[in-house]
Amino acid sequence: MIGYICKYTPVEIIEAFGEEPVRLESGYKSHERAEALIHSNMCSFAKGVLENIIENNIEEVILTACCDSIKRLYDVLKDKVKFIHLLDLPRKKDPLAIDLFYNEIIEFIEAYQAFKNKNFAEENLLKILESKSFNKEKQSAESIAILGARLKDDVIEKITNSCTAKVINFTCTGEERVFNIEAKDNLLKSYAESLLNFTPCMRMAEDRSKLINKELKGIIYNTIKFCDFYSYEYAELKSKADLPLLKIETDYNDSNSGQILTRIDAFLESTGIKKMEKQKTRKGYFVGVDSGSTSTNVVIIDENKNIISYSIIPTGPKALESAFKAFEIALKNAGLQEKDITSIVATGYGRVSIPFADRIVTEITCHGKGAFFIDNTVRTVIDIGGQDSKVIRLDDSGNVIDFVMNDKCSAGTGRFLEVMARTLGISIEEMAKVHKEVKENITITSMCTVFAESEVISLIAQNKDQRDIIHALNKAVASKAISLVDRIGRKGKYMMTGGVAKNQGVVYAIESRLGEKLIIPFEPQIIGALGAALISLEGK
């Protein structure tokens, strides 16, 4: 068995030797063993691959010199595995590049022959290539493209199973290894040319804009944390591609996280290619369940879109139990029984764990739906919940056309304020008061909850006025919210939803930065559940 990472790897050469090539994946929750050998700030993909090699005791590895992190990985592995080879990958596919890559392949063959004490047979390679011959399939008119860094197979499968459009994977592992080699007088050179003719990865000096066409329904672009190369291409795409574009950022141990999957689902919903069970509008009562990280909210509406009842309870450690309890409370408040309910839509991070729901929809779509129902002049929704915050842009019909979410961090959320209230020794209600007149205009320099808490402790030690510290914390939350607004562009009117909308200090701080009043619903915590109930009623 020989491990590899890059699609330009001569996998078929390895097979011709009678060996098993295995694509090395990243995605380990811990890089403890890898970080004992490589710097902790190294690319998470390289660390994950190293962890894979150590975990599975892989003794033969072939790498391509596609970036400095992989070159560093090669340096580390030289003394750790029995066989390692680094291919120098050309950046073009002109005749000179083909010659260079052909020579690289020859060097690999010679090195592997010497290691295995086994001769390479071209006839074996030819049989393998003929078994992988093909006719190129035309791109479907209804397609969505995945670009950027590779995504884990289970995430690709999730996207494929969730949308009605064909998924075209342009990442470095997305292309099927098929060939159409005609020249047999120099089989290895033809093979090298075929490899370089694969869909160009971002490292190749090719015009990747040709991958994008008007028939695409949208682009999902994956970036690796702390890797600027992908960010450059994403920025260029954002400025040039007139298509719906979603950016996600992974470090390979979180690619299946709730927040990333929520972003993907919301993007598919907003582009109209999310698989939905179409139902006709029915009569009766309709329920929306919003299972959030901090609170679980339920709304019941009738067939005329009147809110019959709602409930809000802490989610606690058991999301499913909280969902059942919130549902029971809402039923009791409405004077209804479960048999009276026509359908239920679940949303929020816990939506997939609610067995009594008929359908699940992302909180992005549900918050947009609920906010527009409350006030159809709203074009931007600022939702700050317990552990995440998001900004949603709506069109004139209330459809979600863009959104951004905070990173997997509690900065600028309700949890941030709870931690600070506890540090100050006051209630969250006291934190919610407006403090317009301050003695000293303090600024909290860090948005990280842990570091900001240390700052607050230091300010307390300096005997700073408590109201000034609260004002500084409210400004910090407002600053985080405004940065999200500015990422999609400012457009009023604005509505604020989520539990933090009850904090008048934060509301005032955001209004001061926006220069415009926020619309605050009568109960900002139920907007997601309300949107879910409306979707349940409409059956689409």
Side-chain angles (χ1 to χ4, degrees):
M1 181 176 72
I2 180 167
Y4 73 96
I5 61 171
C6 177
K7 70 178 180 182
Y8 296 108
T9 302
V11 170
E12 291 70 28
I13 298 284
I14 298 168
E15 292 173 338
F17 270 107
E19 298 294 325
E20 179 190 3
V22 176
R23 194 177 77 196
L24 300 173
E25 298 293 352
S26 188
Y28 285 78
K29 292 296 182 184
S30 170
H31 294 146
E32 180 179 350
R33 288 168 295 189
E35 288 185 357
L37 300 171
I38 203 166
H39 197 281
S40 59
N41 288 342
M42 186 62 66
C43 161
S44 57
F45 176 74
K47 287 191 293 185
V49 168
L50 180 55
E51 195 76 26
N52 186 334
I53 292 169
I54 298 169
E55 170 79 15
N56 295 292
N57 195 29
I58 295 172
E59 297 182 332
E60 299 176 20
V61 179
I62 178 170
L63 302 174
T64 53
C66 53
C67 70
D68 290 341
S69 292
I70 301 304
K71 292 176 185 176
R72 178 69 183 116
L73 178 61
Y74 170 78
D75 292 338
V76 170
L77 289 172
K78 278 191 297 186
D79 300 323
K80 305 297 179 185
V81 297
K82 291 181 178 179
F83 175 84
I84 183 144
H85 190 87
L86 184 68
L87 286 167
D88 192 7
L89 181 66
R91 297 296 186 258
K92 297 182 179 181
K93 56 183 181 182
D94 58 23
L96 178 58
I98 293 168
D99 286 341
L100 289 170
F101 198 44
Y102 163 68
N103 289 328
E104 287 291 314
I105 290 175
I106 293 294
E107 285 184 18
F108 166 68
I109 290 173
E110 292 172 350
Y112 206 53
Q113 281 184 145
F115 172 72
K116 285 292 189 180
N117 194 24
K118 183 188 296 186
N119 290 326
F120 169 72
E122 278 199 10
E123 57 268 25
N124 292 341
L125 174 62
L126 182 58
K127 288 178 184 178
I128 292 167
L129 294 176
E130 286 176 342
S131 71
K132 297 183 179 183
S133 62
F134 77 116
N135 292 315
K136 276 200 171 180
E137 181 184 353
K138 289 184 178 180
Q139 183 169 310
S140 170
E142 183 88 347
S143 304
I144 186 168
I146 302 175
L147 281 165
R150 72 169 69 176
L151 274 173
K152 290 174 65 179
D153 289 342
D154 53 356
V155 180
I156 298 291
E157 184 179 1
K158 170 73 167 55
I159 297 171
T160 302
N161 294 337
S162 298
C163 71
T164 57
K166 179 182 177 182
V167 176
I168 303 175
N169 187 351
F170 286 133
T171 68
C172 63
T173 57
E175 193 164 11
E176 188 180 358
R177 296 187 71 88
V178 286
F179 300 87
N180 189 7
I181 295 179
E182 297 177 356
K184 298 177 183 176
D185 53 331
N186 192 334
L187 181 63
L188 287 176
K189 181 170 282 191
S190 296
Y191 175 61
E193 182 178 3
S194 293
L195 288 178
L196 291 180
N197 277 322
F198 280 171
T199 301
C201 79
M202 196 201 64
R203 298 285 178 164
M204 305 296 280
E206 297 290 332
D207 183 6
R208 280 167 53 88
S209 65
K210 295 176 183 177
L211 300 175
I212 310 304
N213 63 63
K214 296 178 181 178
E215 293 179 337
L216 286 173
K217 299 292 289 183
I219 301 168
I220 295 175
Y221 197 95
N222 181 40
T223 63
I224 303 176
K225 289 185 177 178
F226 311 119
C227 181
D228 289 337
F229 289 99
Y230 292 105
S231 297
Y232 291 145
E233 184 175 57
Y234 168 77
E236 183 177 11
L237 273 177
K238 190 172 178 63
S239 65
K240 293 182 179 179
D242 187 21
L243 288 168
L245 181 62
L246 171 68
K247 177 187 176 184
I248 55 177
E249 187 176 66
T250 61
D251 58 11
Y252 288 101
N253 61 12
D254 64 349
S255 62
N256 225 346
S257 72
Q259 192 178 85
I260 288 175
L261 295 181
T262 292
R263 293 184 190 197
I264 291 171
D265 274 346
F267 180 72
L268 298 179
E269 289 167 1
S270 67
T271 52
I273 56 174
K274 180 81 165 70
K275 285 182 180 175
M276 295 285 189
E277 182 182 346
K278 298 294 183 180
Q279 300 172 342
K280 294 181 179 179
T281 301
R282 297 142 295 167
K283 295 184 179 296
Y285 297 96
F286 305 86
V287 176
V289 181
D290 183 1
S291 177
S293 59
T294 303
S295 69
T296 299
N297 318 306
V298 172
V299 170
I300 300 177
I301 63 173
D302 64 17
E303 60 200 53
N304 297 313
K305 301 184 179 180
N306 298 309
I307 298 176
I308 305 302
S309 73
Y310 64 86
S311 63
I312 303 171
I313 67 168
T315 297
K318 297 182 178 180
L320 179 56
E321 288 184 12
S322 300
F324 274 116
K325 184 178 179 181
F327 183 35
E328 289 173 359
I329 293 171
L331 285 172
K332 183 178 179 180
N333 292 343
L336 298 172
Q337 295 181 345
E338 188 173 349
K339 65 180 182 180
D340 299 319
I341 303 303
T342 304
S343 81
I344 302 171
V345 167
T347 190
Y349 281 150
R351 64 189 181 277
V352 296
S353 304
I354 301 176
F356 58 87
D358 299 298
R359 289 171 56 205
I360 59 174
V361 180
T362 66
E363 56 268 38
I364 303 292
T365 298
C366 290
H367 270 85
K369 189 79 172 178
F372 194 78
F373 176 76
I374 294 293
D375 191 325
N376 61 17
T377 66
V378 170
R379 295 296 177 269
T380 303
V381 182
I382 302 171
D383 176 67
I384 306 180
Q387 289 191 334
D388 82 348
S389 54
K390 59 187 79 74
V391 174
I392 306 163
R393 170 62 51 74
L394 306 177
D395 64 16
D396 293 345
S397 300
N399 300 309
V400 176
I401 55 174
D402 201 0
F403 65 91
V404 290
M405 297 176 68
N406 70 329
D407 297 323
K408 55 175 190 177
C409 174
S410 63
T413 66
R415 183 69 67 201
F416 175 87
L417 291 171
E418 287 178 8
V419 171
M420 299 310 152
R422 185 171 64 246
T423 304
L424 288 167
I426 60 176
S427 68
I428 196 69
E429 288 75 24
E430 178 62 28
M431 283 284 291
K433 294 180 180 178
V434 181
H435 297 288
K436 296 181 182 179
E437 302 298 330
V438 294
K439 296 179 181 177
E440 184 179 353
N441 191 17
I442 298 171
T443 297
I444 301 294
T445 59
S446 176
M447 275 309 301
C448 170
T449 302
V450 175
F451 294 151
E453 183 180 18
S454 297
E455 278 194 62
V456 169
I457 292 170
S458 177
L459 291 169
I460 293 170
Q462 296 172 41
N463 202 30
K464 297 294 184 181
D465 190 294
Q466 188 180 81
R467 289 172 299 177
D468 293 350
I469 299 175
I470 293 171
H471 178 69
L473 291 167
N474 289 338
K475 284 196 307 174
V477 174
S479 176
K480 185 70 175 178
I482 293 300
S483 69
L484 292 177
V485 172
D486 287 340
R487 279 169 61 182
I488 61 173
R490 299 190 184 191
K491 185 173 183 180
K493 295 183 175 178
Y494 300 88
M495 177 181 287
M496 186 171 173
T497 63
V500 178
K502 296 179 178 180
N503 185 312
Q504 293 302 308
V506 173
V507 170
Y508 175 75
I510 292 176
E511 288 176 339
S512 299
R513 294 287 300 274
L514 281 176
E516 184 175 333
K517 278 283 186 182
L518 294 171
I519 299 168
I520 308 296
F522 70 96
E523 178 45 79
Q525 280 184 267
I526 68 166
I527 300 304
L530 173 60
L534 291 166
I535 292 170
S536 177
L537 167 63
E538 295 171 0
K540 60 180 181 179

